[in-house]
Amino acid sequence: LQYGLSFKILGSLAVILRELKKARWAGHAITKIVTHTMFNHGWAVILAANFLKDIGVLPRDVAVEIGVGKEMSLEQQKKLRKFGDTVIQYESYEAAKDAARRKKEKAPEQTILVQHYQGVVTGYAAMFLDLYKQLKKKVEDGSLKAKTIGVVVPVGAGGLIAASKVL
């Protein structure tokens, strides 16, 4: 779950795969993936897209464009540029967010917009689903004798608790 040092890769993978599937059903070819980031989310989108390109699910010519605010460190921007296609610095994070949304609106059938909250909640949901499957297996095989199972969910930013509601 920690590939790329962020659980958000799970959410990014799920969002990109879902949107690719919808585009293919509609007969559209995706040419660009866009997002905005303070760092971790953009890093996860880059890793997810590169992984999907490596295994042949995402065509190699699909561009990945990451919008960042000038508040992001140059070191972090350099890391994103090293592994991503395009990193564009905007005046602020909010400006990067608006630019990503406009790019999706300009070419909706060809562009996947991966919003930060999608990566968070979907990533947490993937983790929670994995936990659920592990617990279910232990109950079914008899290795867990408890009649009631409780899961403590931290609510820091609320992502994991929101994901637990998915199940």
Side-chain angles (χ1 to χ4, degrees):
L1 294 177
Q2 291 299 314
Y3 177 74
L5 303 176
S6 174
F7 67 88
K8 293 176 185 179
I9 191 172
L10 297 172
S12 297
L13 282 166
V15 171
I16 293 168
L17 287 169
R18 181 189 68 221
E19 295 302 312
L20 279 173
K21 188 175 186 179
K22 285 171 38 179
R24 287 181 180 144
W25 282 350
H28 302 297
I30 295 298
T31 59
K32 186 184 284 189
I33 297 171
V34 297
T35 196
H36 54 289
T37 188
M38 295 292 280
F39 182 74
N40 283 346
H41 170 68
W43 180 237
V45 170
I46 289 169
L47 292 176
N50 287 344
F51 174 74
L52 293 173
K53 288 177 180 182
D54 288 346
I55 64 170
V57 172
L58 186 66
R60 287 245 172 240
D61 62 347
V62 172
V64 179
E65 187 175 295
I66 310 296
V68 303
K70 67 179 181 181
E71 59 271 356
M72 181 185 284
S73 76
L74 294 177
E75 182 179 318
Q76 288 176 316
Q77 289 184 43
K78 183 178 176 182
K79 187 173 183 180
L80 292 177
R81 282 187 177 93
K82 181 177 178 182
F83 294 98
D85 291 347
T86 305
V87 177
I88 301 172
Q89 185 182 43
Y90 294 89
E91 189 62 28
S92 67
Y93 172 79
E94 287 302 317
K97 184 177 179 179
D98 289 341
R101 181 187 42 77
R102 284 192 308 274
K103 288 173 187 192
K104 171 66 174 174
E105 289 172 355
K106 185 176 178 181
E109 290 86 21
Q110 294 84 31
T111 305
I112 295 175
L113 170 60
V114 185
Q115 297 278 16
H116 179 263
Y117 67 85
Q118 292 172 311
V120 171
V121 174
T122 308
Y124 275 137
M127 289 175 26
F128 207 84
L129 181 59
D130 187 58
L131 173 63
Y132 172 79
K133 287 178 180 178
Q134 289 178 38
L135 288 170
K136 182 179 177 189
K137 181 179 177 185
K138 289 186 178 290
V139 168
E140 290 173 350
D141 71 14
S143 63
L144 185 64
K145 305 294 183 200
K147 297 197 185 284
T148 303
I149 299 169
V151 177
V152 177
V153 181
V155 293
L160 190 53
I161 196 72
S164 70
K165 290 295 288 177
V166 172
L167 300 175

